[in-house]
Amino acid sequence: DAGVIQSPRHEVTEMGQEVTLRCKPISGHNSLFWYRQTMMRGLELLIYFNNNVPIDDSGMPEDRFSAKMPNASFSTLKIQPSEPRDSAVYFCASSWGQGMSNQPQHFGDGTRLSIL
Amino acid sequence: GNSVTQMEGPVTLSEEAFLTINCTYTATGYPSLFWYVQYPGEGLQLLLKATKADDKGSNKGFEATYRKETTSFHLEKGSVQVSDSAVYFCALSGAGSTEKLVFGKGTKLTVNP
């Protein structure tokens, strides 16, 4: 079975541009998570969805960040306008959850974002 | 709030050495505990998990035991290989926040031949 698929793998863009990261979760999974990883702050949860509904977006840094999940097989994370401090690796993960905390999350390979 | 503390890295070992990476947690209720591994250029992969006190998770020669009395979940392997070089993350979930994972900062392991 295919794992979590993220695109693009690498993105380099200039400050002020809009950036869109994409994620396709594992088929059948109903929870989806967006994380950001940096050397300074480690791995941070930005937002997570259950059954396409945002459950917790307390980790979203500011209004420049937005995430959507229009259907069970696709999610986007947008940054507009982008800033150099947004440079990081962004991971998407999915799991099968119905409030069950013991289900593992499956991660994509990440998008390495560089804002110049 | 919930938190995970794991030993600072980096850790450098010779092949066939014994590995311990310490992990302690703070949580209300009864969390599930996980170890994830991240190889260079890849996402995190589940290594092992334990869902209740005294459970032992194991995989690929790695083990960790859920110790409620010491709030710990230390990762061990008896004989490491070069291919075990990676970053290891301890994490918890379920302590009042269902599926949300709280991660430690990660420990980078390098195994030399």
Side-chain angles (χ1 to χ4, degrees):
Chain A
D1 284 341
V4 175
I5 299 172
Q6 291 186 245
S7 64
R9 286 297 313 274
H10 302 273
E11 174 90 11
V12 180
T13 192
E14 292 188 346
M15 185 173 84
Q17 296 298 306
E18 178 178 291
V19 172
T20 300
L21 311 181
R22 296 174 176 79
C23 176
K24 178 178 169 56
I26 291 173
S27 177
H29 283 186
N30 65 343
S31 292
L32 184 139
F33 307 80
W34 282 102
Y35 291 90
R36 177 172 66 178
Q37 186 178 39
T38 61
M39 290 294 292
M40 292 298 295
R41 301 172 69 95
L43 201 60
E44 305 172 275
L45 176 67
L46 300 177
I47 185 170
Y48 88 91
F49 297 83
N50 183 258
N51 293 325
N52 311 337
V53 175
I55 303 300
D56 184 345
D57 65 355
S58 59
M60 294 287 262
E62 48 199 271
D63 290 346
R64 297 185 298 106
F65 285 69
S66 63
K68 293 183 179 179
M69 192 164 187
N71 57 62
S73 58
F74 183 66
S75 177
T76 58
L77 178 68
K78 280 192 182 178
I79 309 173
Q80 168 63 21
S82 58
E83 296 182 4
R85 61 193 167 119
D86 302 330
S87 298
V89 181
Y90 290 81
F91 288 104
C92 177
S94 70
S95 70
W96 165 245
Q98 291 285 1
M100 293 183 291
S101 63
N102 60 357
Q103 297 303 308
Q105 294 180 17
H106 299 260
F107 284 73
D109 285 337
T111 296
R112 183 172 295 276
L113 177 65
S114 297
I115 308 297
L116 305 178
Chain B
N2 302 330
S3 67
V4 173
T5 303
Q6 60 182 104
M7 63 188 284
E8 296 276 336
V11 174
T12 302
L13 296 173
S14 297
E15 208 164 21
E16 298 184 5
F18 184 86
L19 169 71
T20 299
I21 301 178
N22 290 337
C23 171
T24 57
Y25 67 90
T26 301
T28 55
Y30 302 94
S32 294
L33 301 173
F34 304 83
W35 277 101
Y36 281 80
V37 58
Q38 184 179 29
Y39 299 102
E42 298 183 10
L44 280 70
Q45 303 173 24
L46 178 68
L47 182 59
L48 53 84
K49 71 175 186 180
T51 58
K52 60 182 188 296
D54 300 325
D55 267 3
K56 179 186 282 188
S58 60
N59 186 26
K60 300 181 182 179
F62 290 89
E63 293 182 341
T65 300
Y66 188 142
R67 301 284 188 202
K68 190 163 174 59
E69 64 277 11
T70 55
T71 62
S72 66
F73 193 55
H74 305 321
L75 182 68
E76 296 182 337
K77 186 174 186 182
S79 176
V80 293
Q81 306 300 311
V82 173
S83 57
D84 294 327
S85 299
V87 181
Y88 293 82
F89 292 89
C90 185
L92 69 80
S93 78
S97 56
T98 60
E99 304 153 283
K100 211 168 132 174
L101 280 175
V102 175
F103 285 93
K105 292 189 180 300
T107 303
K108 183 176 182 179
L109 169 67
T110 301
V111 180
N112 295 318

